[in-house]
Amino acid sequence: MGDSLKGRAALVTGSTSGIGLAMARALAGEGCSVMLNGLGDPGECEKIRADLAAETGAEIGYHPADMSKPAEIRDAVAKTVEAFGGLNILVNNAGIQHVAPIDAFPEEKWDAIIAINLSAAFHAIKAALPHLRKAGWGRIVNTASAHGLVASVNKSAYVAAKHGIMGLTKATAIETAEEPITCNAINPGWVRTPLVEAQIRARAEEKGVSVEDEAIALLSEKQPSKKFTTPEQLAGILLFLCSPAADQITGVPMVADGGWTSQ
């Protein structure tokens, strides 16, 4: 990366664990100031913030915005600009999941998944774009999924939201195509995050098998590599998308799914 990210400012939503934290760590390691975001115990979130600052030497902030609330999203963007003097990189990573057949899918779960996994990205992009333009350089990266390209049973809301993220990514890319701003998506397959771990444990309990056996079964169903994509690999893709080499890459899915969507 050289010095291309030194002095840049980033907001990463859903970044107190899993993929988001790996992305925040990667950006901070390259000299970015990073605003973390996530719900959780305030003391634990402060420890994560302080530990990342000590580890990287970067300026690290934290904002507790609930991604289902547009006013809080706008405030997270505003507080990032206030804290760091601007905004260059927006990573829309926050997400939730619920698994059920469509005819048994709780309507409140549908509404929550669409709000957090899709609408939150729109509200963040809308709030961030004026600041990216003012800075004269910007990168918007949306965490999508293999489910932004293909579907699976019992995940109607998640699949709909992630397909929506792909449409939002393309529309944003076209609208900013003549500016030094890009918008892309990262589309992982199975990543062993807390969200996926919960799915594995639920499936293992239902089948009466071990968690590790069910993890292998889960991979075998979809991911030909039979290996989990790692948060660190996704963070590496993020850094590439923020590099000069990616100046002409915009509006595309960067797929890291072990061959899932090639089938």
Side-chain angles (χ1 to χ4, degrees):
M1 292 297 296
D3 293 333
S4 64
L5 291 184
K6 284 188 177 178
R8 305 290 194 189
L11 168 61
V12 185
T13 70
S15 53
T16 52
S17 68
I19 294 169
L21 182 56
M23 289 177 165
R25 177 175 287 111
L27 289 170
E30 293 294 332
C32 281
S33 300
V34 180
M35 183 67 74
L36 301 175
N37 158 261
L39 299 178
D41 176 77
E44 291 180 7
C45 292
E46 169 55 24
K47 184 178 186 304
I48 292 166
R49 186 207 66 76
D51 287 350
L52 186 58
E55 173 188 336
T56 62
E59 188 175 2
I60 308 295
Y62 168 75
H63 194 288
D66 181 337
M67 289 292 114
S68 68
K69 298 179 179 178
E72 295 189 20
I73 296 169
R74 290 191 292 271
D75 190 63
V77 171
K79 290 295 194 300
T80 301
V81 173
E82 181 182 322
F84 303 142
L87 179 62
N88 307 103
I89 299 166
L90 171 65
V91 182
N92 290 304
N93 175 74
I96 59 172
Q97 175 66 288
H98 185 78
V99 179
I102 290 174
D103 56 358
F105 209 97
E107 293 175 5
E108 66 275 11
K109 293 293 187 183
W110 170 278
D111 291 342
I113 289 171
I114 296 301
I116 293 170
N117 293 28
L118 175 57
S119 296
F122 161 76
H123 292 297
I125 291 169
K126 181 180 179 182
L129 266 176
H131 301 290
L132 303 186
R133 287 174 170 141
K134 183 177 179 180
W137 182 92
R139 295 289 182 267
I140 300 168
V141 180
N142 301 317
T143 300
S145 169
H147 283 121
L149 304 171
V150 296
S152 292
V153 297
N154 298 335
K155 296 184 178 181
S156 56
Y158 191 83
V159 170
K162 294 303 185 181
H163 273 66
I165 280 288
M166 292 311 305
L168 178 62
T169 298
K170 293 174 183 180
T172 305
I174 292 170
E175 289 189 22
T176 59
E178 294 185 24
E179 305 172 72
I181 296 170
T182 65
C183 181
N184 292 290
I186 297 177
N187 298 61
W190 289 121
V191 185
R192 202 157 183 176
T193 61
L195 186 149
V196 170
E197 189 69 25
Q199 293 181 58
I200 294 170
R201 291 186 178 279
R203 285 169 49 126
E205 184 176 339
E206 182 181 340
K207 295 180 181 179
V209 300
S210 73
V211 170
E212 289 309 310
D213 283 346
E214 189 54 32
I216 293 169
L218 186 79
L219 285 170
S220 298
E221 289 175 9
K222 300 285 188 181
Q223 202 144 310
S225 68
K226 295 185 173 61
K227 295 182 180 67
F228 286 100
T229 305
T230 69
E232 291 72 24
Q233 288 165 345
L234 302 177
I237 296 171
L238 170 64
L239 291 184
F240 168 70
L241 289 173
C242 293
S243 75
D247 282 352
Q248 287 300 309
I249 297 176
T250 195
V252 301
M254 303 293 286
V255 183
D257 65 0
W260 179 336
T261 55
S262 294
Q263 300 175 98

